[in-house]
Amino acid sequence: MTVIGWLQIAAVLLCTLATAVPLGRYMARLFSGERTFLHPLLHPVERGFYRLAGVAPDRDQGWLNYAFAMLAFSAAGFAALYLILRAQGLMPFNPGQLPGLPADLAFNTAVSFLTNTNWQAYAGETTMSPFSQMAGLAVQNFLSAATGIALAMAVTRAFARAGTDQLGNFWVDMTRATLYVLLPLAILVALALVVLGVPQTLTGSVGAVTLEGAQQTIALGPVASQEAIKQLGTNGGGFFNANSAHPLENPSGLSNGLVIWAMLAISAALPITFGRMTGSERQGWAILSAMGLLLVAATATVYWAETSGTPHLTALGLDPLAGNMEGKELRFGQAMSALFVAVTTGLSCGAVNTMHDSLTPLGGLVPMLLMQLGEVLPGGVGSGLYGMVVFCVLSVFVAGLMVGRSPEFLGKKIEAREIRLAVLAVLILPLVILGFTSASALLPSALASLNNAGPHGLSELLYAYSSAAGNNGSAFAGLNANTPWFNTTLGIAMMLGRFAYVLPVLAMAGALASKPRIAASPGTFPTTSALFVGLLVGVIVILGGLQFFPALALGPIVEQVLMRDLVTF
Amino acid sequence: MSQSSKPAAFDRALLAEALIEAVRKLDPRKLMRNPVIFVTEIGAVLVTGLWLRELGQGTGQPWFSGQIAAWLWFTVLFATFAEAIAEGRGKAQAASLRQSRCDVRARRLVLPDSAEPIWENVSALDLEPGDVVLVAAGEIIPLDGEIVAGVAAINEAAITGESAPVIREAGGDRSAVTGGTTVLSDEIRIRITAAPGETFIDRMIALVEGAKRQRTPNELALSVLLSGMTLIFLIAVVTLWGLAGYSGTAVSVVVLVALLVTLIPTTIGGLLSAIGIAGMDRLIRFNVIATSGRAVEAAGDVDTLLLDKTGTITFGNRMASEFVPMPGVTERTLAEAALLASRGDETPEGRSVVALARADFGLSEPALPEAAVLVPFAAQTRLSGLDLGERRIRKGAVDAVLRHLGRSPDTVPAEFRAAVDRIARSGGTPLAVADDGQLLGVIHLKDVIKPGIRARFAELRAMGIRTVMVTGDNPVTAAAIASEAGVDDFLAEATPEDKLGYIRREQAGGRLIAMCGDGTNDAPALAQADVGVAMQTGTQAAREAGNMVDLDSNPTKLIEIVGIGKQLLMTRGALTTFSISNDVAKYFAILPALFVATYPQMGALNLMQLGSPQSAILSAVIFNALIIVALIPLALRGVRYRPVAAAVLLRRNLAIYGLGGLVMPFAGIKLIDLALTHLNLA
């Protein structure tokens, strides 16, 4: 670890913090229905959409209607994307004459982009035509992110409102998230990426002659626009198979810093939005602090583990001071690779600029754990915030009693109904991740997909299901996931991870919204103090992470202790 | 059932009875209500079965499995024991209450409205609400009711533990009588208001026995969380079987059950109902009966206390606090005259003048001359005094004394008027003193605030609880007393409607209100309040409307009731936090032990350096069982409660139960492991 490395990490995180406040406040105004500086330009467009779709923008929905709208919209999105992928061969803009996708891969990919996971069981440049990329995947990149923001706003309103079961209008939230937040930011980031050297063209590929005189075909396409929303919407599905490690997706250290910021920007701003809308910006800061604390700890662990290197590399005569550079890009270096690893999994982004399979066992444990915690640090756009709200509710419930009052969060009493729904939500991740991993570990046909045996093989399985259920989408690699078993089970894991998680959370929001807001007093459990931040961190680790400890012990932990004895798999 | 008779927590007979009851509670049908312990019991049955099979087949490690099975049973037993012992403490009280409920005969009036007492002799069990019965001195009142005619002295010791008789009479706020109490004098007619089996005593019995105990809302929510955690760990352990299979580690079912039981929150799961029963019990021993556990929880949440001024904030009577002499008169002279004039005043106010004169000037009561004639205080004259021949000393209400002097209010000296005005403005009552036709000065009578009450209110404020004084005084007087007592707000010239309105306003602002009252006109407010404490001396309507009854009829108790409610919630929270943070150490004990056979390098995670895999697993299971027993006293006694701000409480309790819960099991498990290794048990 070097001072320069830490300064780079600090610079990116500080930039994120600096933009989080204005962006968070902007979104608070936007989703409270107030005017923003973009209204003169975009409001007519927005109204036009409502008129076209026949939406009454001021008619709010209860949680059930909101959930129904979200599910219907997602189902339609899934159907459209599935058809595009299946019929790719018949669609225009297909210079490479790429055929349609097989059923299981099309299902997996459609679910993947729909749920903001962007797990890719295929290599982008050899599977997807520019049409599929732009009209299929990029559309879902926007919409799945906007859906996440909309859901987060519905949950926020549960605390901002009292005595009503109305959580807002899904169509309005969707439209505003896309039009006022994602689109302007995506345009800015795409332009910045073009300036930094990322291609943006409809040309399929160019030919080049290498120094050895060989012919090389370099795939091209609308990369910058795809890359911008991939990062901003915490989607993570790369244009190229190599994702953000590819020089045309992420050409330099500077672009690397930019795309890390882009991943974090909205998710870090949403707690501020939450705080603003619920009337306690301090609450937003407390949530953001807990996210930041764990994220920095995760980054430090990866950074330390990777720069410590491995005894194998030292035995091969490599400079131990360089650490473990396998699978990393020289132009990013250890620090910014470590930050990318932590951020992309702390968020539900899943873009990678480093091959996670090549991380040291401890370095690989961190992204796995971050995904298993439920992608809340700071989590996917929207999903991170509502996941964090669930943890806040649980923290307040467990420890809140200790001040001698029945628990309340932001003035809302937390009772049996809320707890039942919160528990239902947190149950999903261990059930899906551990259930499918365990089943795959016993299934010989699934094990045939593994590149490695022993604990490392187990890590590959565990990683895949953690990534799918957490809607992350990054891959440990080393696992050939393009098989009917994995395409189907990972698809189910992604779906459960998104919808089975968010439905109870929405129901909880509905229950909370209708409760009166109890006035705060010195007897109220303090939820904005440093102590609460510490408590929240503890609850996330103990209630969110401890159940994965046995599985992790058999995977990366045992691999780490074996590494010292030069045992590999 | 007086406040002082605390049953010893661990009386030997009580322990034995609780132990029998604990075994009875092992019935799975009863345990189902408690999912955490129910899962533990299933685990115990499973491991016992495996142990028997190992014994039969001579395979495996029966010595190890047998010990695990035994400790799993102990875990379940300790949990049921905790509940049994909490219930046992109420049982003795229930038994003594039952004695007063035994079948009594009643004289039912055939023609209730007729003055002629024609009655038939029936069993109390055959009475119905609406019947009118005749009860004479020496008889037991059969059921709860209301006096429709007559007045009687009644011994309510059966309920309140207080043997001094109380007077009950028809009409007004003192008409309610309770079944099981004894009439000491006179004869009364009572209209029965409760059916047999639903009387106050019946409810008390059910309550102290915990027979009809409903889980309170917060307890229910906590059970949901605990069940959810149990399910999560069940998933983790069941899937571990597959993962371990992949890794080539054969993990026995015995060890998986051990892992599961140590991870699920058995500590709080085992103690949860004991905490609730003990909280209720604390209230009962405080001579307060809550009609539901919900009310006790609500007491912990209260934001605003409506307190009656008289009896709670001030002593019931006004007391002399100051002598204000007129120019040319010494304070001592005034005090002497006041002392003499008060000889004929036996009211508390008169005695307080005597007391002040003695305290301030060391005056002793001089022997009265033969010729002295006492003028006793009377409500009509509103003054008292002493005639020494021609010399006439008087003390009393200002207008009464002026009338006695034959002076009109306009002719009194400016100083006198100023003193009277000042006292009235400060909320006090001025009394004039005259000697031989001359105005000597004024005595300041004031409501004396109970010592320490101001500090209590400050504590309450620190806890975030507002205090509101309710008084019939005029706003000026009320404001003066309110500021002296340090309450946050006051309701002057309060009518029952004002109280109800105030409660509704506060509730609309999202605050929970507690109040106490005794009159029928208090009933709507008592019903509206989140915590309504009715006085045992109050009317039946008030007692029905409130959700608590104070058997001592002491309105000050409201403050303590809030404390008891908070203590209940805190105990629950503290043990939950402790139970959950225990898991970290248990992982570090069991996981390395589980896999060290396949991966010897896993020994690196054996932070506690436990002797062997068997002893590590066994130690964790034993710790898990013993911690329940160790915490029973805390569950019954409650976590220490101090009235400070929530932030301070949280910091302290999080340090003790959160951090303590994290660290303590490391030491505990290590010690048990040392003992096991030393005794060659594993």
Side-chain angles (χ1 to χ4, degrees), chain B residues 31 34-44 230 234 257 260-261 264:
Chain B
L31 265 189
N34 187 340
V36 182
I37 301 302
F38 183 63
V39 167
T40 310
E41 188 175 42
I42 293 177
T230 307
L234 197 62
V257 171
L260 175 67
V261 171
I264 62 178

Side-chain angles (χ1 to χ4, degrees), chain A residues 397 401-407 413 416 423 427 434 438 454 457-458 518 521-525 546-547 549 551 558 562 565, chain B residues 218 221-222 228 231-232 236 239 242-243 246 300-301 303 462-464 510 566 569-570 573-574 587 591 599 601 646 650 653-654:
Chain A
F397 187 77
L401 283 171
M402 280 197 295
V403 304
R405 279 169 74 104
S406 59
K413 277 255 175 285
V423 164
L427 212 61
L434 294 175
S438 189
L458 193 66
I518 296 163
S521 75
T524 310
F525 182 83
L546 224 48
Q547 59 266 38
F549 195 50
V558 81
L562 289 176
D565 297 351
Chain B
N218 174 262
L222 191 51
L231 213 54
I232 289 177
T239 54
L243 301 179
Y246 165 91
D301 286 347
D303 301 280
M463 289 155 58
K566 285 198 177 295
L569 294 172
M570 275 168 61
Y587 267 121
L591 278 189
Y599 300 117
Q601 292 86 345
L650 179 66
N653 286 336
L654 210 51

Side-chain angles (χ1 to χ4, degrees), chain A residues 365-434:
Chain A
L365 178 144
V366 171
M368 243 185 274
L369 184 62
L370 288 180
M371 294 186 293
Q372 289 158 350
L373 291 178
E375 304 284 2
V376 289
L377 311 168
V381 284
S383 61
L385 179 64
Y386 61 69
M388 206 63 175
V389 168
V390 170
F391 276 120
C392 283
V393 164
L394 289 175
S395 305
V396 160
F397 187 77
V398 169
L401 283 171
M402 280 197 295
V403 304
R405 279 169 74 104
S406 59
E408 62 204 41
F409 182 52
L410 288 168
K412 302 280 189 166
K413 277 255 175 285
I414 309 296
E415 290 165 301
R417 185 180 161 78
E418 291 76 43
I419 290 299
R420 190 171 300 128
L421 293 165
V423 164
L424 215 56
V426 294
L427 212 61
I428 288 297
L429 288 180
L431 185 67
V432 172
I433 296 174
L434 294 175

Side-chain angles (χ1 to χ4, degrees), chain B residues 371-664:
Chain B
V373 180
L374 281 179
V375 180
F377 176 84
Q380 288 77 24
T381 60
R382 288 159 57 226
L383 49 69
S384 67
L386 189 69
D387 289 349
L388 289 167
E390 284 301 295
R391 184 176 168 203
R392 293 171 13 157
I393 310 170
R394 291 290 183 276
K395 171 229 83 191
V398 172
D399 55 335
V401 172
L402 289 183
R403 206 177 313 117
H404 158 76
L405 294 177
R407 295 173 73 160
S408 81
D410 314 331
T411 62
V412 297
E415 292 87 353
F416 181 83
R417 201 176 310 146
V420 167
D421 282 354
R422 177 179 65 80
I423 291 166
R425 260 202 316 280
S426 73
T429 306
L431 292 183
V433 181
D435 187 357
D436 225 5
Q438 184 200 354
L439 271 176
L440 290 184
V442 189
I443 305 171
H444 185 168
L445 276 189
K446 68 186 227 181
D447 258 333
V448 178
I449 311 287
K450 285 187 172 178
I453 201 86
R454 202 187 162 86
R456 291 288 285 282
F457 291 156
E459 286 173 3
L460 288 171
R461 200 168 304 118
M463 289 155 58
I465 298 175
R466 292 174 72 244
T467 45
V468 180
M469 180 181 85
V470 180
T471 172
D473 292 343
N474 64 57
V476 175
T477 310
I481 298 170
S483 87
E484 194 181 343
V487 292
D488 298 289
D489 196 1
F490 64 86
L491 257 183
E493 288 168 354
T495 62
E497 292 73 35
D498 292 341
K499 274 199 213 179
L500 188 62
Y502 193 92
I503 292 174
R504 290 211 170 119
R505 270 198 307 284
E506 288 281 298
Q507 284 173 336
R511 281 180 284 271
L512 267 68
I513 318 294
M515 69 163 287
C516 50
D518 54 1
T520 299
N521 53 15
D522 280 333
L526 278 172
Q528 180 73 35
D530 300 280
V531 176
V533 183
M535 301 294 111
Q536 165 66 11
T537 53
T539 60
Q540 189 65 23
R543 280 164 33 176
E544 292 283 331
N547 45 17
M548 291 191 192
V549 175
D550 177 17
L551 300 177
D552 298 336
S553 304
N554 171 6
T556 322
K557 273 199 192 163
L558 207 49
I559 301 173
E560 274 85 10
I561 290 173
V562 169
I564 289 175
K566 285 198 177 295
Q567 197 182 24
L568 170 72
L569 294 172
M570 275 168 61
T571 309
R572 216 177 264 161
L575 291 181
T576 307
T577 308
F578 184 83
S579 188
I580 293 176
S581 39
N582 266 211
D583 274 2
V584 176
K586 293 174 192 165
Y587 267 121
F588 277 102
I590 296 189
L591 278 189
L594 223 50
F595 304 129
V596 81
T598 319
Y599 300 117
Q601 292 86 345
M602 278 291 248
L605 285 187
N606 185 0
L607 297 181
M608 288 170 265
Q609 298 295 314
L610 302 177
S612 70
Q614 281 83 2
S615 80
I617 294 164
L618 202 50
S619 304
V621 173
I622 294 176
F623 175 84
N624 196 52
L626 290 182
I627 197 74
I628 297 180
V629 184
L631 290 175
I632 289 178
L634 183 67
L636 297 186
R637 198 179 60 234
V639 164
R640 206 157 75 97
Y641 162 73
R642 260 188 306 180
V644 286
V648 182
L649 273 179
L650 179 66
R651 196 176 316 130
R652 206 187 54 158
N653 286 336
L654 210 51
I656 298 176
Y657 300 100
L659 229 49
L662 219 52
V663 177
M664 211 272 263

